[in-house]
Amino acid sequence: MNTSSFEHIVRIQFNALIMTVIKRTVKSKKRQIARRSKREVLFCELSDMKQLECGTTDNYSCNYISFEVLNNTIQVSNEKLAVALHKLSEKQRDVILLRYFQGMSDQEIAELYHVSRSAIYRRRSNGLKKLKALLKERN
């Protein structure tokens, strides 16, 4: 057996092996696509509620009204609430924003402002009453 015929046989065997690999890969991909197509649903076939569940909403800084409280920026997305908050006194607004948007307790707020906890409680309760009246008036 000379080397040229040996190389020829090796080349034929290699080509046969490559063809087998390609055929099996194609077959595997076709099966994978068939399995995936059974689970996939077109967007046009989804109900409106399902489409809303799958989507997201982008939030931009222009959609918020910002308030500065103790070197912190607190953003409010509800325009009616933000307008009503602007009508409160600065002390009342700051206490309400810190309490309900920052999750701070009356005691923590009192320590920041160096006043008693009861003073913060009064500011908050009076501010909430005024806020409630402003929101009712607006509606």
Side-chain angles (χ1 to χ4, degrees), residues 63-80:
N63 297 336
Y64 295 99
I65 298 168
S66 299
F67 294 94
E68 283 291 324
V69 181
L70 298 173
N71 298 325
N72 292 324
T73 302
I74 299 175
Q75 296 181 328
V76 178
S77 61
N78 186 321
E79 184 180 351
K80 291 179 183 179

Side-chain angles (χ1 to χ4, degrees), residues 25-37:
T25 302
V26 168
K27 190 175 182 180
S28 172
K29 285 295 178 186
K30 284 182 181 179
R31 270 194 246 128
Q32 182 183 11
I33 291 170
R35 280 193 308 265
R36 187 179 295 162
S37 67

Side-chain angles (χ1 to χ4, degrees), residues 3-115:
T3 57
S4 64
S5 66
F6 177 75
E7 287 175 1
H8 181 70
I9 293 171
V10 169
R11 201 173 277 138
I12 290 172
Q13 288 175 342
F14 178 77
N15 287 343
L17 178 65
I18 292 299
M19 290 304 290
T20 304
V21 170
I22 290 172
K23 286 178 184 178
R24 289 185 180 169
T25 302
V26 168
K27 190 175 182 180
S28 172
K29 285 295 178 186
K30 284 182 181 179
R31 270 194 246 128
Q32 182 183 11
I33 291 170
R35 280 193 308 265
R36 187 179 295 162
S37 67
K38 288 178 184 177
R39 292 184 306 226
E40 288 179 348
V41 178
L42 299 175
F43 280 119
C44 62
E45 295 174 355
L46 287 176
S47 67
D48 290 337
M49 289 303 293
K50 285 285 187 186
Q51 286 182 11
L52 288 175
E53 289 174 9
C54 296
T56 60
T57 303
D58 292 337
N59 293 319
Y60 300 102
S61 60
C62 62
N63 297 336
Y64 295 99
I65 298 168
S66 299
F67 294 94
E68 283 291 324
V69 181
L70 298 173
N71 298 325
N72 292 324
T73 302
I74 299 175
Q75 296 181 328
V76 178
S77 61
N78 186 321
E79 184 180 351
K80 291 179 183 179
L81 178 60
V83 170
L85 283 168
H86 270 292
K87 293 181 181 178
L88 296 177
S89 72
E90 185 177 351
K91 291 179 180 180
Q92 290 174 337
R93 179 176 52 243
D94 289 353
V95 168
I96 289 173
L97 288 170
L98 288 173
R99 174 77 169 137
Y100 295 105
F101 288 84
Q102 295 293 88
M104 297 176 75
S105 68
D106 287 348
Q107 185 63 42
E108 292 171 327
I109 298 169
E111 290 171 5
L112 288 173
Y113 284 102
H114 305 292
V115 296

